């Protein structure tokens, strides 16, 4: 599993011009899955993301977590996280987990984030989505397990 976490001020996700979800200050989390990924990996990474301390505390240090600031998460599936651009002009996506196997892991990630934070904004698995967001920092972190 790979997750790219972008610290944001806010985000809005649409499909075909229709608003699907939005969130305030927190993280935009793009998740991708590969062979061998399971619920234990999803649980581990989601917990690490929520507890990661990359928000400024009262002294201006990156010392507060998403929990500390009451932040939100927008979690979006993104199979292209497993793209291999090393061959040809079209990336090889063969390391990305098949749709039918990845969807349950994505749904589980949404459940874990919701359990930890109370709610989670999300994308629509397998759809072409547009995300408007305001990056904060920018601060971007890659998780992989």
């Amino acid at each position: 599993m790979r997750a790219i976490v972008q610290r944001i001020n806010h985000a809005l996700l649409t499909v075909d011009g229709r608003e699907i979800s939005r969130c305030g200050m927190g993280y935009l989390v793009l998740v991708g899955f590969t062979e061998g990924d399971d619920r234990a990996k999803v649980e581990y990474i989601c917990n690490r993301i929520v507890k990661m301390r990359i928000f400024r505390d009262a002294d201006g240090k990156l010392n507060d977590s998403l929990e500390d600031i009451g932040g939100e998460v927008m979690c979006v599936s993104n199979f292209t996280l497993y793209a291999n651009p090393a061959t040809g002009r079209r990336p090889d996506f063969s390391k990305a987990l098949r749709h039918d196997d990845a969807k349950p892991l994505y749904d589980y990630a949404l459940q874990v984030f919701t359990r930890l934070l109370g709610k989670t904004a999300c994308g629509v698995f397998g759809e072409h989505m547009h995300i408007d967001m305001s990056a904060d920092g920018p601060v971007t972190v890659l998780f992989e397990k």
Side-chain angles (χ1 to χ4, degrees):
M1 177 180 176
R2 286 183 183 156
I4 294 181
V5 177
Q6 175 72 55
R7 192 176 72 183
I8 60 171
N9 296 309
H10 55 82
L12 169 68
L13 186 141
T14 59
V15 173
D16 295 328
R18 192 177 87 249
E19 180 177 325
I20 301 300
S21 63
R22 66 174 55 230
C23 77
M25 185 171 53
Y27 299 145
L28 171 63
V29 180
L30 304 176
V31 295
F33 304 97
T34 193
E35 195 65 39
D37 285 346
D38 57 19
R39 290 168 68 110
K41 286 182 183 181
V42 171
E43 185 87 32
Y44 174 83
I45 287 182
C46 290
N47 273 288
R48 295 277 306 171
I49 289 169
V50 169
K51 295 184 183 325
M52 178 174 54
R53 301 180 330 177
I54 60 170
F55 291 96
R56 295 195 186 283
D57 64 12
D59 296 325
K61 304 240 185 235
L62 296 181
N63 207 27
D64 283 348
S65 71
L66 197 60
E67 293 173 312
D68 295 330
I69 66 152
E72 301 177 29
V73 162
M74 176 179 284
C75 183
V76 179
S77 62
N78 189 329
F79 78 95
T80 65
L81 294 182
Y82 279 97
N84 178 358
T87 60
R89 295 188 185 259
R90 180 182 181 275
D92 173 11
F93 298 106
S94 63
K95 296 291 184 194
L97 198 58
R98 290 179 357 164
H99 180 278
D100 292 344
D101 296 324
K103 174 105 170 62
L105 293 174
Y106 173 67
D107 291 342
Y108 186 63
L110 296 177
Q111 291 174 20
V112 173
F113 281 129
T114 301
R115 184 180 74 235
L116 295 171
L117 298 170
K119 69 175 186 170
T120 303
C122 61
V124 181
F125 190 90
E127 289 292 326
H128 184 96
M129 297 168 272
H130 293 270
I131 303 168
D132 292 316
M133 62 105 170
S134 169
D136 182 23
V139 175
T140 305
V141 179
L142 171 67
F143 285 83
E144 187 164 20
K145 178 142 177 90

